[in-house]
Amino acid sequence: MLDVPYPDFLCGLQLPEHLKYVCSVAGLPSPDLSGGFTYCDLGCGQGRTASAIAALHPDAQIWGLDLSVDHILAARAFAERATLKNAIFMAVDLANFDPLSLPPLDFISMHGVWAWVPEQVREGILNLVMQRLKPGGLCYVSYNAMPGSVSLGAIRRMCLDLLEDGQTENLGVLLPQALNQLRSLSQADGLFFQKHPIAEQVIATADKADLRYMAHEYLADKWEPMSIKQVADTMRGAGLTWASSCILAHRLHAEGLPPQLLQEIDREKDRIRREVLFDICLNRQFRADISLKADDFTTKERMLENFHFALTTTRQAVPQRAVSEGTEIDTGLAPIPLILDALADEVLSFMQLSTKQSFGIDVADLAEVLMALVVVDVIRPLPTGSIVSYAKKPIPPGADLHPFNKAALATKHPEQPVTMIAPAFGGIVSIPPLDVALLETYLAKDRFLDVSGLRATLAESGISIFESSNDRTTKVPSAIARFGLETQPKLQRLSMLN
């Protein structure tokens, strides 16, 4: 699919902060982020994820590799616009790439690559991992998983069959036609869709999906879903040991299975085979896994003492029912309100939270509750090293957007959300189209800037009011969003600034 550019997608699962938090939750070691680590994104597409990591970690060295010259040119152009000096993009064929062109790496990451490339490319990737990943280094790999991808395979086959004579030259017209035919069958209760809810969901939302993504996902020349055991065994051949799923929601969904299923799974003591059983019971269609370069390691108790936690919005704006990644959390259930109240005005470490007896739960349960709130994006984990910028960095008058975020705005697509980085907590924030329009209006007025609370504050009320520190207000049509600079938590005021 080299003739169809992949969307300029930014994947939060690949961010080093997220990878480190996942390892900490699982009681696993991970590379140190405090110094100048090295990171390589294989199949980087237009380089948006690699650029975000470079922007969040100016002391790190980031590489992005992709087969498409057009992708790499776009990645370089964005990095230049974002004034990034520590991001290097190279157009390479991984099947014939010399790993010694890269330095020893702390992180090797590949999103949307492993199950979509031929065997010789996977062999090249394994060779790179064996030669360049440091001892103790972390490898992230995502792939379409079994058994859930059986339904996706049927969608792929049907799309290919419905394209005129297998033609892919005019996908902008032919692919929507094929998807519309399938949607009509689904809406008419075709038996396949009744028995395959994953396929029904994909078809029902296909009209809102980026056609470039759909083309790469379902029409790629190579498309091979795999089981976790297949992938883990292959990675072990490169000296890696499977560590954990990178998708925190997977842990919550697994714990929510009926007791009889959990009892059956608990009889299996092998870690990989247990994951196979979970995949079957949950009919997972996609996995993103972490493997570590170690012969073996001992899983310890959660290592969350290296993390602080902060609200992603004001306390008042936290929804009663927070939903994300197929997970719904009632934030009114004890002890969640007490935890949110504790975080309302300050960032607290895991150790500080664990000493609050009013919560009425032990350390293990506290870790589970915090993880659930992270999954639904009510709180964010902050590696301890980032607290310096969070707690002490002043906000100067006339503060401006981070150069990465300026570049993201400048290259946005009409009616599409814009993903920006949040340097204060080493993460990303997706800004919906309406909020993007309001932000651009606000920037055009050259006002003192505060943008990170947009999503929550817009949902809070009905008219848009941007308050400045001297209590003057400016009304923007169709809104209501109060985010006064003096009333917002520091995290929100800092999150998108330099």
Side-chain angles (χ1 to χ4, degrees), residues 298-347:
T298 301
T299 301
K300 303 177 181 179
E301 294 298 320
R302 292 177 175 85
M303 302 161 65
L304 294 175
E305 64 271 14
N306 294 323
F307 282 86
H308 288 63
F309 294 86
L311 289 180
T312 59
T313 183
T314 60
R315 175 67 180 92
Q316 294 77 14
V318 174
Q320 178 68 31
R321 307 196 74 82
V323 182
S324 181
E325 297 186 44
T327 302
E328 181 174 321
I329 301 294
D330 183 347
T331 60
L333 294 176
I336 293 176
L338 295 175
I339 294 173
L340 300 180
D341 289 343
L343 295 173
D345 296 317
E346 59 180 331
V347 175

Side-chain angles (χ1 to χ4, degrees), residues 277-485:
L277 296 178
F278 277 124
D279 285 353
I280 293 171
C281 291
L282 292 164
N283 197 28
R284 287 174 177 158
Q285 68 189 68
F286 178 81
R287 289 192 64 95
D289 290 327
I290 292 172
S291 296
L292 299 175
K293 192 163 189 180
D295 293 331
D296 203 356
F297 45 79
T298 301
T299 301
K300 303 177 181 179
E301 294 298 320
R302 292 177 175 85
M303 302 161 65
L304 294 175
E305 64 271 14
N306 294 323
F307 282 86
H308 288 63
F309 294 86
L311 289 180
T312 59
T313 183
T314 60
R315 175 67 180 92
Q316 294 77 14
V318 174
Q320 178 68 31
R321 307 196 74 82
V323 182
S324 181
E325 297 186 44
T327 302
E328 181 174 321
I329 301 294
D330 183 347
T331 60
L333 294 176
I336 293 176
L338 295 175
I339 294 173
L340 300 180
D341 289 343
L343 295 173
D345 296 317
E346 59 180 331
V347 175
L348 294 175
S349 70
F350 180 77
M351 301 306 295
Q352 289 172 312
L353 289 167
S354 66
T355 62
K356 293 188 177 294
Q357 297 182 357
S358 61
F359 294 169
I361 55 176
D362 61 22
V363 172
D365 286 340
L366 175 62
E368 290 294 318
V369 173
L370 292 174
M371 182 181 70
L373 293 174
V374 169
V375 168
V376 295
D377 202 30
V378 170
I379 65 174
R380 291 283 177 95
L382 289 76
T384 299
S386 66
I387 297 303
V388 174
S389 63
Y390 170 84
K392 298 180 179 179
K393 183 177 177 181
I395 305 175
D400 200 358
L401 278 179
H402 188 285
F404 178 97
N405 294 333
K406 284 185 176 180
L409 270 181
T411 56
K412 68 180 176 65
H413 301 285
E415 304 304 319
Q416 294 292 319
V418 174
T419 302
M420 295 185 173
I421 64 168
F425 52 79
I428 58 176
V429 179
S430 180
I431 308 297
L434 172 62
D435 298 4
V436 171
L438 292 173
L439 172 58
E440 290 181 317
T441 299
Y442 196 58
L443 289 174
K445 297 180 180 298
D446 292 325
R447 291 182 172 274
F448 191 100
L449 182 64
D450 173 25
V451 299
S452 60
L454 279 172
R455 178 172 49 183
T457 51
L458 281 172
E460 195 177 356
S461 44
I463 299 177
S464 230
I465 302 174
F466 294 80
E467 292 187 342
S468 64
S469 57
N470 61 6
D471 292 328
R472 290 181 301 173
T473 61
T474 299
K475 292 186 177 181
V476 177
S478 86
I480 276 193
R482 286 185 67 252
F483 52 102
L485 294 172

Side-chain angles (χ1 to χ4, degrees), residues 196-331:
H196 293 267
I198 290 176
E200 183 178 37
Q201 182 180 7
V202 168
I203 291 301
T205 59
D207 60 329
K208 300 179 179 64
D210 191 314
L211 282 177
R212 297 170 300 171
Y213 164 79
M214 296 294 288
H216 279 266
E217 174 61 48
Y218 296 108
L219 303 180
D221 295 334
K222 186 70 175 178
W223 196 89
E224 185 179 353
M226 301 178 186
S227 74
I228 179 180
K229 191 172 189 310
Q230 285 178 282
V231 176
D233 287 350
T234 301
M235 293 298 169
R236 179 169 284 280
L240 303 181
T241 302
W242 181 82
S244 174
S245 169
C246 191
I247 303 174
L248 291 171
H250 279 186
R251 296 175 66 94
L252 296 180
H253 299 163
E255 292 164 3
L257 286 172
Q260 62 271 27
L261 282 178
L262 289 175
Q263 291 173 6
E264 187 65 34
I265 293 172
D266 283 343
R267 294 191 181 99
E268 176 56 65
K269 302 307 178 186
D270 181 85
R271 296 169 62 246
I272 304 298
R273 288 198 291 268
R274 279 172 59 87
E275 283 294 308
V276 171
L277 296 178
F278 277 124
D279 285 353
I280 293 171
C281 291
L282 292 164
N283 197 28
R284 287 174 177 158
Q285 68 189 68
F286 178 81
R287 289 192 64 95
D289 290 327
I290 292 172
S291 296
L292 299 175
K293 192 163 189 180
D295 293 331
D296 203 356
F297 45 79
T298 301
T299 301
K300 303 177 181 179
E301 294 298 320
R302 292 177 175 85
M303 302 161 65
L304 294 175
E305 64 271 14
N306 294 323
F307 282 86
H308 288 63
F309 294 86
L311 289 180
T312 59
T313 183
T314 60
R315 175 67 180 92
Q316 294 77 14
V318 174
Q320 178 68 31
R321 307 196 74 82
V323 182
S324 181
E325 297 186 44
T327 302
E328 181 174 321
I329 301 294
D330 183 347
T331 60

